[in-house]
Amino acid sequence: QKIVDAVNTSIYVALLTVSTAGSERAIGGGMNTKRIFGWAARAAVAAAALGGTGVAVGALQQRAAEAPKAALAAPLAVQAFTVLRQDAYTETRAFAGRLEPARATTLAFELPGRVVDVLVEEGDTVRAGEVVARLDTDTLQNRHARLSAVRDAQAASVELAKLTEERQDGLTDRAVSAQRRDEARLGRVAAEAQLAETEASLAGVEIDLEKSLLRAPYDGEIAARHIDEGAFVAGGAPVADLLETEAPRARIGLSPDVAATLEPGTRHRLVYAGAELSARLAALRPDLDTASRTVAALFEIESPLPRAFGDVVAFEAERRIARPGYWLPLDALVEGSRGLWSVYVLDGIPD
């Protein structure tokens, strides 16, 4: 409104100036018509320009009046409570670790050979003593048959040597010499030694035949399969990975001060996937991990647990810190400037 009033005043002053100037010209020296019309024209242009400005300002005022007013923010509902000063507080420290099987074994043949059968797949459950894979045993079977024949022949030689010795012992001292008796006795001993050697070789072949069968050493689950049928493997080459699933463990790195407060055999609570697990501390390693500066603790899980080896599990330890202060819920903190946190404080308790 002040802008409009200023514009109207300017228009009035301009017209008044033109009128007065014309009058003075007429009174002073006679009327000059051309000059009067020139002044009038200029005054009319000025008035038109100022009038246009007034119209523009009026349009702005009308738009401002028609614009909707900003709505006031609704009052923020808060919950007030009284905080009390405390001389100490309890701090909860969480240490993360991983679930692992109590035993994990890479199964391999002790002997080299060609694999003729792999009887398991990844994820299969096996029992202790169950056959996992087989090697080709044609050569061993042939050797076993040959040694079996040699053993039978040597067993017959031993029997003949025994009979010869008995006959020599049954003759009178005058009919047979001591030399013949010694030959019979030592012949029996030699035959028995040869038979024992062959039986030992035969037992070695039977051991190799048994080692051609790869068996699970304990109940578990096949985690990985490394070879297929037809592959030639050397002794000790990985065939499959076996994990024991009956007694899972948790390996957690603890700070030395926390580990010093724990005793093997005690029971504790672990946190896994938001749930608590009952566990028994099986052992504490005597060394310190140089990378993490922690002591490895092994917990035996007693609660039912899905087979999620490698998943994260946590151990929570509490300690009391003697330091005065006030406890506030996190919802009461408001982010302030310069990375600080603020708290709303009521001057008085409302009715």
Side-chain angles (χ1 to χ4, degrees):
Q1 183 63 37
K2 292 181 180 180
I3 296 175
V4 175
D5 293 341
V7 172
N8 293 336
T9 302
S10 301
I11 297 174
Y12 174 75
V13 171
L15 294 177
L16 181 60
T17 303
V18 172
S19 175
T20 304
S23 299
E24 291 177 352
R25 294 282 185 176
I27 296 173
M31 183 166 298
N32 190 335
T33 305
K34 291 183 179 181
R35 290 184 177 179
I36 292 175
F37 279 122
W39 293 336
R42 287 194 293 271
V45 172
L50 294 175
T53 303
V55 171
V57 172
L60 291 176
Q61 282 187 332
Q62 183 176 2
R63 289 183 182 180
E66 294 176 355
K69 295 183 178 180
L72 297 177
L76 178 63
V78 297
Q79 180 181 2
F81 62 93
T82 303
V83 296
L84 300 177
R85 186 179 184 275
Q86 300 181 9
D87 296 331
Y89 65 94
T90 301
E91 180 187 55
T92 301
R93 304 166 64 187
F95 299 91
R98 293 191 179 277
L99 294 173
E100 63 180 29
R103 289 185 287 181
T105 305
T106 298
L107 304 179
F109 287 107
E110 191 173 337
L111 302 175
R114 183 174 60 87
V115 179
V116 296
D117 203 0
V118 180
L119 304 176
V120 295
E121 296 290 344
E122 295 181 357
D124 288 351
T125 300
V126 296
R127 295 295 181 184
E130 184 176 344
V131 177
V132 175
R134 293 189 178 94
L135 289 177
D136 179 25
T137 59
D138 291 345
T139 302
L140 291 175
Q141 293 287 358
N142 179 270
R143 185 180 176 189
H144 186 274
R146 181 171 58 84
L147 288 174
S148 297
V150 173
R151 180 194 60 184
D152 295 341
Q154 290 175 345
S157 298
V158 169
E159 183 66 21
L160 179 59
K162 288 181 179 180
L163 293 175
T164 302
E165 183 182 7
E166 291 176 359
R167 290 190 185 99
Q168 293 295 332
D169 291 339
L171 296 176
T172 62
D173 294 341
R174 294 178 181 180
V176 63
S177 64
Q179 179 68 26
R180 299 291 297 272
R181 291 194 187 95
D182 292 339
E183 289 177 356
R185 179 176 59 83
L186 294 177
R188 175 187 57 81
V189 173
E192 290 176 345
Q194 291 176 354
L195 178 60
E197 181 183 4
T198 303
E199 289 179 342
S201 299
L202 191 60
V205 173
E206 291 175 350
I207 292 175
D208 290 343
L209 286 172
E210 177 60 28
K211 289 183 177 181
S212 298
L213 300 176
L214 186 59
R215 300 181 183 273
Y218 48 81
D219 295 349
E221 189 172 296
I222 301 299
R225 170 176 163 170
H226 301 292
I227 62 170
D228 295 320
E229 294 81 357
F232 187 89
V233 296
V239 175
D241 293 338
L242 177 65
L243 303 179
E244 186 179 22
T245 57
E246 294 299 325
R249 287 187 174 186
R251 183 182 296 270
I252 303 175
L254 305 178
S255 62
D257 59 323
V258 173
T261 63
L262 302 180
E263 290 291 337
T266 57
R267 283 175 169 76
H268 302 273
R269 292 288 180 179
L270 304 181
V271 179
Y272 171 72
E276 289 189 351
L277 300 177
S278 176
R280 186 182 70 88
L281 179 60
L284 289 169
R285 289 192 55 166
D287 58 335
L288 186 68
D289 188 280
T290 57
S292 62
R293 309 300 298 174
T294 58
V295 176
L298 298 178
F299 295 90
E300 294 180 350
I301 308 299
E302 298 177 342
S303 301
L305 183 69
R307 299 172 184 175
F309 297 130
D311 208 348
V312 178
V313 63
F315 172 80
E316 295 183 349
E318 294 183 351
R319 65 173 179 175
R320 187 169 179 81
I321 300 177
R323 183 179 300 173
Y326 299 86
W327 276 102
L328 297 173
L330 293 178
D331 295 341
L333 302 179
V334 180
E335 186 176 1
S337 60
R338 299 180 180 179
L340 301 178
W341 294 93
S342 303
V343 177
Y344 290 114
V345 178
L346 299 178
D347 293 335
I349 299 177
D351 297 335

